[in-house]
Amino acid sequence: MAPDTLGHTANRALKRGRMFLNTPGPTNVPPRVQSAMHRDTMDLNDPEFLDAAVECFEGLKRVFRTDGEVFSYISNGHGAWEAALVNVLAPGDVALVPETGHFSNSWSDMAKALGIEVQTVPGDWRRAHDPEKIGQALADDRAHRIKAVLLVQTDTATGTTTDVKAVRAAMNRAGHPALLVVDTIASLGTIDFRMDEWGVDVTVSASQKGLMMVPGMGFVAANDKAIAVHKATVRDRRYWDWTPRMSGHGYRTFCGTAPQIHIFGLREGLATLFEEGLERVFERHRVLAEATWKAVDVWAGAGAVEINALVPAERSLGVTTIITGEGIDANRIREICRDEMMAGIGGGLGAFGGRAFRIGHMGDMNAPMLYACLGAVEATLAYLDVPHTPGGVTAAVRHVADYKKTHGPTTF
Ligand SMILES: *Cc1c(COP(=O)(O)O)cnc(C)c1O
């Protein structure tokens, strides 16, 4: 069907009802957050806004679990990546990047573009990264040239989660002074993360995945050690610079006009998370992830699709990456699922381009929203004659029912 001027196919205009969103970012935004954003702009220094901003910074410290500094940028995750890099690494400095998948590769490319020398610890895209290999790379660096380890907690391309606490333990065993800089863009608000307790020096995140918010805000948290490294790191930077943002002056905190309306949305999004309780939020993500794996394992019976992450304990609880066999066009699955079956899912990234699709089950998600997506995917597999064993949705439904039977009332 010929696309219209917006690039939509004509029959899309006939669609009725709700479009389901199961991309691993952006994610669904609760109606109460949308309502909180439906308001007038205001004076830059209106106390109501300044109070909301203070609440956001306090809420972010609670989700990062840190007493360190938190910086907020009008950006996406890429902006937050750059903010972390330019504040603690100067051109010529060395960063160690454990390869977890497309996102560690992209962050590494950004570091190189900023003049940072990158040393990669090769990884297997079907596994979480091995903390011992990271420790070994640091132990081998006797001259302590490596200034920072850039670690992605959940690589959204591969659907694996690396054990951040174990990476810190390996760094300590190697007795290496490098900073631990962690990308939690896809994991914050979906699984446990404890910046201070785990010894993370810099944490990077963004608004649109686990935090119940629209895209447009990037966050970086830094502890005292990172702030000290920042002060000693001389390089060109302006918008991202931490120092003026620490002045306590509203206008400088945001390096100009604040994203006022986003701040009101974020405050509501964080309140949503705290009302449910982070522990229950994480448990909800676990059960929805497991239900997704049950469905994919059924479909996998015919040998054409399978879960990428081989070891269940290493799987992301926010996104499941499904790899497709020879001759199956994963991009087509994604397109049909969105344009015909009305559920948006993610495509394969980097080396997985055209060979994988991804089901997001993070953020404002409950069981029926997940069933809708799994049903749309199963319908897509049938529509495209992709070999699969039917009954994936039933397996997911059964998993949730069994969970509720044994655990009593839940938040999803
Ligand atoms: C989404 C994502 C990014 C990129 O974030 P953008 O907001 O798209 O720039 C980086 N890292 C991880 C792990 C992600 O999931």
Side-chain angles (χ1 to χ4, degrees), residues 356-375:
F357 63 93
R358 297 174 299 141
I359 296 176
H361 29 80
M362 62 172 78
D364 191 40
M365 176 73 46
N366 62 27
M369 291 159 91
L370 180 68
Y371 306 149
C373 172
L374 296 173

Side-chain angles (χ1 to χ4, degrees), residues 328-411:
I328 295 165
D329 181 356
N331 288 336
R332 186 101 178 107
I333 295 174
R334 180 195 188 187
E335 283 163 19
I336 292 293
C337 193
R338 181 191 59 214
D339 298 339
E340 291 296 330
M341 308 302 174
M342 298 194 68
I345 57 174
L349 296 173
F352 281 176
R355 294 181 41 221
F357 63 93
R358 297 174 299 141
I359 296 176
H361 29 80
M362 62 172 78
D364 191 40
M365 176 73 46
N366 62 27
M369 291 159 91
L370 180 68
Y371 306 149
C373 172
L374 296 173
V377 172
E378 194 160 328
T380 303
L381 297 177
Y383 176 93
L384 291 175
D385 296 319
V386 174
H388 67 287
T389 305
V393 183
T394 304
V397 166
R398 173 53 61 97
H399 182 74
V400 172
D402 287 347
Y403 180 86
K404 290 195 183 233
K405 250 187 187 169
T406 48
H407 291 77
T410 67
T411 59

Side-chain angles (χ1 to χ4, degrees), residues 125-211:
W125 281 35
R126 302 200 65 180
R127 299 291 310 273
H129 211 286
D130 179 356
E132 293 311 318
K133 287 195 184 141
I134 300 167
Q136 192 56 52
L138 292 168
D140 291 345
D141 175 39
R142 292 213 180 73
H144 290 177
R145 285 191 70 231
I146 296 167
K147 202 173 164 197
V149 175
L150 309 180
L151 179 71
V152 178
Q153 187 181 19
T154 290
D155 197 302
T156 326
T158 58
T160 57
T161 295
T162 293
D163 186 341
V164 174
K165 198 175 158 193
V167 170
R168 166 47 80 190
M171 290 174 71
N172 289 349
R173 277 198 300 280
H176 199 289
L179 291 175
L180 177 56
V181 183
V182 179
D183 169 346
T184 65
I185 295 172
S187 47
L188 199 70
T190 73
I191 54 169
D192 200 15
F193 179 77
R194 299 166 187 245
M195 177 163 170
D196 291 356
E197 195 182 316
W198 293 353
V200 175
D201 300 300
V202 180
T203 307
V204 175
S205 204
S207 54
Q208 79 275 19
K209 299 195 184 178
L211 300 182

Side-chain angles (χ1 to χ4, degrees), residues 294-318:
K294 295 273 180 192
V296 183
D297 282 346
V298 170
W299 299 332
V305 296
E306 69 174 310
I307 298 174
N308 174 58
L310 292 169
V311 180
E314 298 175 353
R315 286 180 188 157
S316 160
L317 300 187

